[in-house]
Amino acid sequence: MGTDVDRHYSTNAETSRLARTPHGRLEFLRTQELLRRVLTTRAKVLDVGGGTGVHAEWLARDGHSVHLIDVVAAHATAAATLPGVTAVVGDARGLPVADNSVDVVLMLGPL
Ligand SMILES: C[S@@+](CC[C@H](N)C(=O)[O-])C[C@H]1O[C@@H](n2cnc3c(N)ncnc32)[C@H](O)[C@@H]1O
């Protein structure tokens, strides 16, 4: 991935994106509501482009096993500090994950 992507996501405060505006808070709550509706049993979740772990954090707290991949190293590093979350640097276009190795794949944002 080129440095433009890195610069774009590094300068747009990913950690607070879903908290600093009413639209962001609505997106967070609606996403959480929809995911909780379908994730009714403990699941192995792959959060692709998961940023600093805004969804990974509560998913892990809900009891799911969460592995996050993000192309920006600082995001993966921040996410890896969250309890119950593992995280690595990686590109959605070539996931470093075996086929059929997770129950759920999230891709919220990178597209
Ligand atoms: C708009 S943020 C969304 C973060 C989080 N999923 C959310 O819903 O708030 C997009 C994230 O995708 C990451 N990203 C962008 N292109 C990516 C790619 N090709 N592979 C992996 N991550 C990517 C960015 O670094 C950023 O953390």
Side-chain angles (χ1 to χ4, degrees), residues 1 5 9 14 17-18 27 47-52 54-55 69-72 75 90-93 107-110:
M1 186 67 66
V5 171
Y9 285 109
E14 264 319 304
R17 187 180 75 84
L18 296 183
E27 178 184 326
D47 190 1
V48 180
T52 55
V54 63
H55 291 298
I69 290 174
D70 201 284
V71 77
V72 173
H75 292 175
D91 192 325
R93 296 172 299 178
M107 191 156 178
L108 304 168

Side-chain angles (χ1 to χ4, degrees), residues 42-77:
R42 288 188 180 185
K44 205 168 167 188
V45 178
L46 178 66
D47 190 1
V48 180
T52 55
V54 63
H55 291 298
E57 184 172 28
W58 67 261
L59 284 163
R61 214 182 307 121
D62 278 5
H64 303 292
S65 158
V66 187
H67 184 58
L68 181 149
I69 290 174
D70 201 284
V71 77
V72 173
H75 292 175
T77 301

Side-chain angles (χ1 to χ4, degrees), residues 82-96:
L82 298 170
V85 177
T86 57
V88 295
V89 177
D91 192 325
R93 296 172 299 178
L95 291 173

Side-chain angles (χ1 to χ4, degrees), residues 7-28:
R7 203 172 310 116
H8 172 78
Y9 285 109
S10 301
T11 55
N12 281 286
E14 264 319 304
T15 307
S16 62
R17 187 180 75 84
L18 296 183
R20 64 178 180 259
T21 66
H23 176 271
R25 287 192 289 280
L26 178 62
E27 178 184 326
F28 175 83

